[in-house]
Amino acid sequence: MLTLQINGKSVEVDVDPDTPLLWVLRDVLGMTGTKYGCGIAECGVCTVHVDGSPVRSCSLPVGLIGSQKVITTIEGLQADPVAAAVRKAWLDIDVVQCGYCQPGQIMAAIALLKKIPNPTDEQIEADMSGNLCRCGTYMRIRAAIRNVAAAQGVNP
Amino acid sequence: MTMTERGLGRITGMLFTLLASTGIHPAHAAGASDGQYLTRAADCEVCHTRPGGAPFAGGRAFAIPGMGVIYSPNITADRQAGIGTWTDDQFVKAVRDGVSPGWKHLYPAMPYRDYAYMTPDEVKAIRAYLATLPTSSARPPANTLKFPFSIRAAMIFWNLVNGPTSSHPDDPGHTPSWNRGRYLVEGPGHCAECHSPRTITMGVSASNAYAGADVGGWRAYNITSSKTDGIGAWSADDLATYLSTGHADGHGSASGDMGDVVSHSLRYLTRQDIDAMVEYLRGIPARSSTDGAPLVVDQPTAAHDPADSHGAMLYAGACVGCHLPDGSGRQNPVASIAGARTTLGAANGQNLLQVLTHGSVLQTATGTASMPAFHGGYSDQDVADIANFVMHHFARSSTKVTAVDVAKAKAGSTPE
């Protein structure tokens, strides 16, 4: 039995320690907001936060996380102000096309904006480059992140 | 743990106390009767298993430059393909003296000179453990050695030149822990087989022991106590962590053959044994080598050399998913590349190219950490650009590799 801190709750799961976090989230806990993409940490669609940093849950064994670190999934950000700003910015310019990669894009964007409230284009590209989008919405993702920074009143 | 296990543990503990009080050979005290532990300490599985094959069924190829290819034999208890019909004494003679039944002399790819550090009883314990494992009828391919290396009896002369095998009594001038470490490093661990240069007869060099060597396209680094070329600048803790987990922050991760050694052998050793190995390794006299890893590493900078721009772009696309833009590793400590000698451009970037073109796999207590090989969709020049960017950006290393070096790394040979 392993204990994990997920979205503010302490959760006990009966899995092998080498089970990837994504399997625990989706198959054990039924939290399907986080998607499966490549399975080898190359596409970023399964991104969640561990202690605020974006991680690829498909390649992170739960045994490595431990019972103290704080896991946040896309379901756990309902009341988060940065997440609310990102949601609004995404809707304002209609970032999404097919949408499959977007949970990962949004989690990566939130982590970036919490770390750097007003990122330069170069910082956006560096931090978001591990998140692939087969529809090619990259330009709108970058614009939406810029809009969040502007709407929060951070001087460019 | 069940009641029986707990009871057994207590009896074993009492036995060890008893043995310790009767002054038994300290180097052999712990785990002497545990065949599985010794089989792991001696890392039998890696060499006696072909990639993807049944464990211990042999067939792994050892290409020896200028001589040919040797395949490891099946050492499962199968009576036809394996060693099921051998007596215990025949097994001991093969492991400790390099002579298998019918006076068939083994090639010293089998480190019998090292394994002679183990007592006959310890070797029998390995045999007993192997006998409990599933058998396999797999037969490895025949060796393709060139004349005169194809004559096994020639090994009689090799053994004469390289000294007879012998057991090694403890050195009373050192601590029991040092002696245990020497036993593990020089004996079952057979570290010198990869980490020491070879003499003209392909024997392990005693005068230059542990000064590093090229093995199958990889650089087995200098592990003497040299502060510049070896591991003299590592803390004991870092070294122990590296050996038992395959990674130490600021020193990178084990890959290639060393990754195999950690995955199948070192990670199963007790902390006490790992500490003993560290004590012994840190006492190996410093010897210089040409590994050339710089000692002081500057922090990576945001700006990068325009000459690196193609490599930087490829790094951003292919590598940051796991290694992050600053190389600190996204989520798994194993992915942190800061301070790794591969990243620092040691040995002409040889191991970095091996990792990029062959990938890397490490078994850890929490699952498999692996890096895929990057050559399918990437040209040799692309891979060279990534390597040059990584070495320059993360370590300010002036080492440069070329597309030709990448092609050589793919073929498993050493760059010039």
Side-chain angles (χ1 to χ4, degrees), chain B residues 150-309:
Chain B
S150 51
I151 306 172
R152 284 182 177 272
M155 294 309 118
I156 296 170
F157 300 102
W158 189 89
N159 291 338
L160 283 175
V161 172
N162 288 282
T165 59
S166 62
S167 49
H168 300 262
D170 279 2
D171 181 345
H174 286 279
T175 63
S177 171
W178 181 93
N179 276 297
R180 175 70 179 169
R182 185 186 68 157
Y183 162 78
L184 289 164
V185 168
E186 303 281 354
H190 63 285
C191 308
E193 296 292 332
C194 288
H195 285 284
S196 291
R198 299 214 166 243
T199 62
I200 189 95
T201 64
M202 293 294 280
V204 166
S205 165
S207 58
N208 215 12
Y210 299 106
D214 289 322
V215 183
W218 292 83
R219 182 71 184 171
Y221 289 128
N222 181 327
I223 54 168
T224 71
S225 56
S226 164
K227 282 197 191 306
T228 47
D229 297 337
I231 51 165
W234 292 46
S235 72
D237 249 6
D238 280 354
L239 201 48
T241 306
Y242 187 90
L243 291 177
S244 52
T245 67
H247 177 86
D249 281 341
H251 297 291
S253 301
S255 46
D257 291 341
M258 191 63 195
D260 279 344
V261 171
V262 172
S263 298
H264 297 281
S265 173
L266 294 175
R267 74 189 177 103
Y268 295 110
L269 301 192
T270 62
R271 179 64 199 225
Q272 203 181 355
D273 275 351
I274 291 286
D275 287 343
M277 292 177 83
V278 168
E279 181 178 344
Y280 178 73
L281 287 170
R282 282 160 61 89
I284 293 174
R287 295 185 179 98
S288 57
S289 63
T290 53
D291 289 351
L295 248 186
V296 182
V297 189
D298 290 338
Q299 289 302 308
T301 53
H304 43 72
D305 197 315
D308 289 337
S309 61

Side-chain angles (χ1 to χ4, degrees), chain A residues 18 41 54-56 61 63-64 126 129, chain B residues 316 320 322 325 330-332 366-367 374:
Chain A
D18 68 351
V55 301
R56 310 303 189 215
L64 214 63
S129 63
Chain B
V320 295
C322 290
R330 183 177 290 276
Q331 53 206 28
N332 190 331
T366 50
F374 284 82

